Amino acid sequence: MKFTLGKQERLKSRKLIERLYKEGNSLKAYPLRMMYLQTEHTSNFPAQVGVSVPKRNFKKAPDRNRLKRLMRETYRLQKGIVYDQLEMPHIFMISYLGKEKWSYEDLYVKMEKLLTLFIEETKTIKNDEI
């Protein structure tokens, strides 16, 4: 698996994003929250991901952009956790909930926790259906 986060792996579809927020489930590992939904998407990858940082908490665009860049980087390096376990295609939106800037190292740990929580959650849902 390549540790890239190309165009095909990014969640861009407005319709899918709207559907995600209407029908999706949520997980939290403060300061990160993941909305996820098991659905078909246009990519060949097992997951498409988007990141967001609210303007309400960070007024300056460079601050928001830096946090989004850090979140994408931590996801990119750890997406193997998700890709190895997923059987059905999913879409994610990872939002930053904190009001203060976190360091890269702290975000890396929280992203790992969030992704493992997601895998555990999908395994329990899958076991409940069986």
Side-chain angles (χ1 to χ4, degrees):
M1 178 184 67
K2 291 174 121 179
F3 288 103
T4 60
L5 192 62
K7 192 173 184 178
Q8 291 285 313
E9 294 177 86
R10 297 188 187 210
L11 181 60
K12 296 288 187 182
S13 168
R14 195 175 288 264
K15 288 180 183 178
L16 280 178
I17 293 171
E18 285 177 13
R19 196 165 148 223
L20 172 65
Y21 279 104
K22 282 182 187 171
E23 304 171 20
N25 299 319
S26 173
L27 292 171
K28 287 182 188 173
Y30 189 83
L32 302 175
R33 179 184 72 186
M34 175 192 280
M35 294 289 294
Y36 66 93
L37 181 65
Q38 188 275 311
T39 183
E40 291 295 324
H41 51 74
T42 56
S43 171
N44 296 328
F45 292 94
Q48 282 189 328
V49 66
V51 296
S52 69
V53 177
K55 193 173 187 178
R56 180 188 314 163
N57 297 345
F58 296 95
K59 303 290 186 221
K60 297 179 181 172
D63 295 339
R64 289 194 305 275
N65 292 341
R66 173 152 177 81
L67 284 168
K68 288 189 282 188
R69 204 174 313 120
L70 291 175
M71 289 166 55
R72 279 193 298 267
E73 180 69 4
T74 57
Y75 174 79
R76 179 186 73 82
L77 293 173
Q78 300 182 67
K79 68 183 181 179
I81 297 170
V82 175
Y83 278 31
D84 295 340
Q85 302 290 324
L86 282 184
E87 296 169 6
M88 303 294 289
H90 281 73
I91 55 174
F92 312 134
M93 180 63 78
I94 301 173
S95 303
Y96 189 86
L97 302 175
K99 294 189 185 314
E100 64 284 333
K101 296 180 215 168
W102 282 44
S103 70
Y104 171 79
E105 293 80 15
D106 295 337
L107 277 177
Y108 188 90
V109 171
K110 292 298 183 170
M111 183 66 74
E112 185 176 16
K113 184 176 180 184
L114 187 67
L115 295 176
T116 52
L117 261 174
F118 168 72
I119 292 301
E120 290 170 10
E121 186 80 13
T122 53
K123 282 183 180 177
T124 57
I125 292 171
K126 187 177 162 188
N127 290 339
D128 290 345
E129 291 176 356
I130 294 175

